[in-house]
Each structure stands twice: as structure tokens, then as C-alpha cells.
């Protein structure tokens, strides 16, 4: 689903940026350009980042050790 129409950023691209090493909304914004033009998508983009980081944290807890993602 498109999150940012101005920059053409999808929720999948936001998740991919996190899997490749972005650890915050700011990192994702710099990597993808999401919410850098009109800003209307910022709330949705932040929610996708929060959800994805939460999923990663839950997966780490279930594994019993920190799951790391190494940038490609």
C-alpha cells in the first residue's frame, strides 16, 4: 500500500528500510524520503515504523536472543 504519494513510498519499502538497518522513523525518512514533501503521510509512516519495530522486538523476545539485521 502506498503510504507517501508525493514520494511514491510503500509500506513494504518502509519495512525493507528497517530490515536493512534503519532503527527509527528519522532513519526511515532519510532513507526513503517518506513525509519529506507535504507531510500528510507522517502519522501513517510512523505507525508502520512502530509496528515493524515492535514485530522485530517481539520476534527477538521469542527467540531468547537479539535478532540482528545487517545492512546489505
Amino acid at each position: 500500500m502506498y503510504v507517501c504519494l508525493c514520494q511514491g513510498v510503500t509500506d513494504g519499502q518502509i519495512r525493507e528500510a528497517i530490515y536493512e538497518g534503519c532503527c527509527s522513523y528519522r532513519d526511515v525518512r532519510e532513507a526513503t524520503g517518506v513525509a519529506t514533501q507535504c507531510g500528510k503521510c507522517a502519522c501513517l509512516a510512523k505507525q508502520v515504523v512502530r509496528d515493524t519495530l515492535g514485530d522485530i522486538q517481539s520476534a527477538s523476545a521469542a527467540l531468547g536472543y537479539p535478532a540482528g539485521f545487517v545492512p546489505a
Side-chain angles (χ1 to χ4, degrees), residues 1-4 14 40-50:
M1 150 182 82
Y2 278 95
V3 173
C4 178
I14 292 172
K40 290 182 181 179
C41 61
C43 289
L44 180 56
K46 287 177 185 178
Q47 185 63 46
V48 173
V49 170
R50 268 193 302 270

Side-chain angles (χ1 to χ4, degrees), residues 3-50:
V3 173
C4 178
L5 295 177
C6 296
Q7 298 295 331
V9 179
T10 65
D11 59 332
Q13 289 171 308
I14 292 172
R15 287 187 190 94
E16 187 64 30
I18 292 169
Y19 297 146
E20 289 180 357
C22 292
C23 297
S24 67
Y25 169 70
R26 179 177 287 175
D27 290 345
V28 170
R29 189 179 65 212
E30 290 173 7
T32 64
V34 69
T36 58
Q37 198 159 353
C38 77
K40 290 182 181 179
C41 61
C43 289
L44 180 56
K46 287 177 185 178
Q47 185 63 46
V48 173
V49 170
R50 268 193 302 270

